[in-house]
């Protein structure tokens, strides 16, 4: 499978999982329906700016869209530290 095919399948899956049509995605993101169709069929690969718009809209990451990870959810990375007393402390690096 090519990069375009994998990316297209992931985009189509996340769009359908959210119950959206291509037209609804166009209305929410401003990306033309014809382009969304071409992205989903692997005919075209979106430019970086469009990947960012799609990843932000679906609250995912570009790596998921490009099939470089199976982690669909974007968000904070955190470390849980359990003290000797058994308490959990949440540590958010960089915050």
């Amino acid at each position: 499978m090519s990069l375009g095919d994998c990316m297209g399948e992931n985009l189509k899956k996340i769009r359908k999982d959210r119950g959206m049509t291509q037209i609804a995605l166009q209305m929410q993101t401003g990306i033309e329906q014809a382009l969304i169709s071409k992205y989903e069929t692997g005919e075209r690969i979106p430019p970086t700016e469009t990947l960012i718009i799609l990843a932000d809209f679906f609250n995912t990451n570009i790596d998921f869209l490009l099939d470089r990870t199976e982690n669909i959810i974007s968000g904070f990375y955190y470390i849980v530290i359990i003290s000797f007393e058994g308490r959990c402390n949440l540590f958010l690096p960089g915050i």
Side-chain angles (χ1 to χ4, degrees):
M1 267 191 163
S2 71
L3 175 63
D5 291 335
C6 293
M7 194 284 310
E9 284 184 12
N10 287 344
L11 177 58
K12 186 174 184 176
K13 177 183 181 342
I14 198 169
R15 176 181 60 78
K16 287 191 166 201
D17 284 352
R18 305 288 167 89
M20 297 187 76
T21 64
Q22 291 179 349
I23 295 293
L25 183 57
Q26 173 186 330
M27 292 172 59
Q28 294 290 317
T29 64
I31 301 167
E32 294 291 328
Q33 182 273 329
L35 284 174
I36 293 168
S37 176
K38 289 179 181 181
Y39 299 153
E40 289 185 358
T41 61
E43 188 178 332
R44 291 191 57 184
I45 297 174
T48 304
E49 297 82 15
T50 303
L51 284 169
I52 292 169
I53 290 168
L54 291 167
D56 287 349
F57 178 77
F58 287 118
N59 192 33
T60 190
N61 54 59
I62 292 172
D63 280 344
F64 170 77
L65 291 176
L66 294 176
D67 204 42
R68 293 173 41 94
T69 183
E70 292 180 10
N71 183 13
I72 193 169
I73 303 295
S74 179
F76 292 106
Y77 294 95
Y78 59 89
I79 301 168
V80 175
I81 301 171
I82 301 175
S83 70
F84 288 112
E85 294 83 26
R87 291 182 307 215
C88 290
N89 297 306
L90 187 63
F91 175 67
L92 301 170
I95 296 180

